[in-house]
Amino acid sequence: MGFRKKNKSPPVLSHEFVIQNHADMVSCVAMIILLGLMFEVTAKFAIMFITVQYNVTQNLDETIEPVNLYHYGPKDVATVFFYLLIAVILHALIQEYILDKMNRRLHLSKTKHSKFNESGQLAAFYLFSFIWGCSILTAEDFATNPTFLWKGYPHKHMVFQVKFFYICQIAYWLHALPELYFQKVRKEDIPRQLYYICLYVFHITGAYILNLHRLGLVLLVPHSLVELLFHASRLFYFSDENKQKGFTLWALLFVIARLLTLTLSVLTFSFGLPRAENQGFSLAEGNFNVLTVRMTCLAAICLTQAWMMWKFINFQLKKWREHSQSQASKRKAVSPKMKPHKKDPARGGSANGVLKSDHKTSPRARKAL
């Protein structure tokens, strides 16, 4: 991990050296970009990395002050790259100063250690995303006006908080790709993590480029809550295996979130956008309201939700089988004790199931004789 002190230093630029010092290297790159603000020649390039680009000032009403809005463009790649570096640094800080200390106290196995680190990082990110997303939706007043998902499409312009939210989301999930190498993720876990990382990048970037950021934001907030509950429950489970009540609540909310996602998606792509005033395809205006794009987006969302439900059902069936097998093994282990039979007094005599031996016929008596 980055920032970790080692007694024995590995060879410079070796794999182990890069893994141990990757956060320091990334910090140097970020500092170089920040230092570019100090010089007039490089300031205009450094600003492109640090600040949100494509600012547009609009007068929504003559009596109201002008509002600063934003749209996307090629320069957003530089901004995403800079905050990708910040995500790598924060990842190393959480790992070094929180998760590693907890791991040393819990003494987890190698498999549980890897899952504990994954859940710890994702729980922090989902908590941050959920709080930030709720604050944005509160300002938009979505609860009383759900038609804002498609009303006025194309939503080419967005407020600063919405654009910065998407920049940070894309940067975080892109940073998760090199973290597979930095965190020494096991080979058997890489395909699973690659699947959900690529799905996040694909869907969030698609909502950002197609000017569907309102729908994307509404869908991300409940999804973040469900994932936060799952990873928090898994952290409690690793600390104490008897704490499993959180998984029951997560299972209920998971199904509700999938139904909510499908409902809002069908409502937007099958009812709202087809009846919107601006129909057609125009890259200059950011309008993608055509049947092909709508059906492709709806199909992508439905297939993703179906895949998630399939994984969820398999997970629940696996846990049910493990529970059934453990219960069956416990029943076999706790078998009823066989009661001893009373013996005939003529064969040696017994009372209350305890065998009594005659003094004369005992081994000591026979030896004496």
Side-chain angles (χ1 to χ4, degrees):
M1 295 298 106
F3 310 113
R4 183 176 297 174
K5 296 179 180 180
K6 295 289 183 180
N7 295 328
K8 186 177 179 181
S9 179
V12 179
L13 298 182
S14 63
H15 289 286
E16 192 64 28
F17 179 85
V18 174
I19 291 172
Q20 290 183 11
N21 301 281
H22 72 275
D24 299 322
M25 297 177 180
V26 171
S27 299
C28 291
V29 177
M31 286 300 297
I32 292 172
I33 296 175
L34 290 173
L35 288 174
L37 295 173
M38 300 177 62
F39 306 98
E40 186 177 355
V41 178
T42 57
K44 59 182 180 180
F45 297 102
I47 290 175
M48 184 175 61
F49 285 88
I50 299 170
T51 61
V52 178
Q53 301 297 307
Y54 303 104
N55 182 15
V56 177
T57 303
Q58 288 188 350
N59 293 321
L60 301 180
D61 195 342
E62 295 180 355
T63 59
I64 302 176
E65 295 182 358
V67 179
N68 292 326
L69 300 176
Y70 298 82
H71 60 90
Y72 66 83
K75 293 181 181 179
D76 289 341
V77 176
T79 311
V80 169
F81 174 75
F82 178 77
Y83 288 99
L84 183 151
L85 301 179
I86 301 301
V88 172
I89 298 171
L90 293 176
H91 189 116
L93 289 172
I94 295 173
Q95 184 67 42
E96 179 71 16
Y97 295 104
I98 299 177
L99 297 179
D100 284 352
K101 291 182 179 180
M102 296 175 67
N103 276 317
R104 284 192 287 269
R105 293 181 180 180
L106 295 175
H107 304 289
L108 299 174
S109 63
K110 188 175 181 180
T111 303
K112 290 184 177 180
H113 181 273
S114 177
K115 292 182 178 180
F116 184 87
N117 290 337
E118 179 188 3
S119 292
Q121 296 286 348
L122 290 176
F125 171 73
Y126 285 126
L127 176 62
F128 174 75
S129 298
F130 175 71
I131 295 174
W132 193 2
C134 285
S135 65
I136 298 174
L137 288 181
T138 303
E140 294 288 346
D141 199 16
F142 164 70
T144 59
N145 186 23
T147 58
F148 98 109
L149 290 174
W150 58 82
K151 188 176 181 180
Y153 184 86
H155 309 133
K156 185 177 181 180
H157 298 101
M158 62 193 94
V159 297
F160 171 80
Q161 289 289 339
V162 174
K163 176 159 185 174
F164 194 46
F165 178 84
Y166 273 91
I167 292 291
C168 292
Q169 289 285 327
I170 297 172
Y172 180 86
W173 290 112
L174 288 177
H175 112 279
L177 294 174
E179 286 294 344
L180 297 177
Y181 171 72
F182 294 145
Q183 298 295 326
K184 294 183 178 180
V185 177
R186 299 184 307 161
K187 291 183 178 180
E188 53 269 28
D189 291 336
I190 290 178
R192 175 183 61 83
Q193 296 192 26
L194 274 178
Y195 285 149
Y196 72 73
I197 290 171
C198 293
L199 284 173
Y200 274 111
V201 173
F202 174 75
H203 285 83
I204 295 174
T205 306
Y208 184 67
I209 293 175
L210 297 177
N211 291 319
L212 296 169
H213 49 82
R214 293 184 181 181
L215 176 64
L217 181 62
V218 171
L219 297 183
L220 276 175
V221 169
H223 178 77
S224 298
L225 175 61
V226 173
E227 293 299 311
L228 169 63
L229 181 59
F230 171 75
H231 290 288
S233 300
R234 193 155 73 162
L235 291 175
F236 285 116
Y237 172 76
F238 288 142
S239 63
D240 185 0
E241 294 186 356
N242 294 322
K243 297 179 179 178
Q244 301 186 24
K245 295 182 179 180
F247 290 109
T248 304
L249 179 59
W250 163 74
L252 177 62
L253 293 180
F254 182 89
V255 177
I256 295 175
R258 302 288 73 78
L259 294 175
L260 179 64
T261 300
L262 289 174
T263 302
L264 293 177
S265 300
V266 172
L267 186 66
T268 301
F269 291 110
S270 299
F271 175 78
L273 290 178
R275 301 185 180 184
E277 296 179 359
N278 296 325
Q279 300 286 332
F281 183 86
S282 176
L283 290 175
E285 298 179 359
N287 190 2
F288 304 93
N289 193 7
V290 292
L291 180 62
T292 305
V293 176
R294 292 198 303 266
M295 291 299 101
T296 302
C297 293
L298 183 60
I301 294 174
C302 291
L303 289 175
T304 302
Q305 301 307 307
W307 178 76
M308 294 176 68
M309 281 301 301
W310 174 256
K311 300 288 289 185
F312 172 78
I313 293 172
N314 287 334
F315 174 77
Q316 295 297 329
L317 290 176
K318 180 181 177 181
K319 299 296 291 184
W320 179 76
R321 293 193 196 99
E322 291 177 355
H323 179 72
S324 300
Q325 290 175 359
S326 64
Q327 293 295 326
S329 61
K330 288 181 180 179
R331 293 193 194 99
K332 292 180 180 179
V334 187
S335 57
K337 295 182 179 180
M338 299 297 294
K339 293 183 178 180
H341 298 284
K342 290 185 179 181
K343 288 192 174 182
D344 189 359
R347 294 188 177 184
S350 63
N352 296 327
V354 179
L355 183 63
K356 294 182 179 180
S357 61
D358 190 2
H359 177 71
K360 294 182 179 181
T361 58
S362 65
R364 185 177 296 177
R366 287 197 304 268
K367 187 176 181 180
L369 294 173

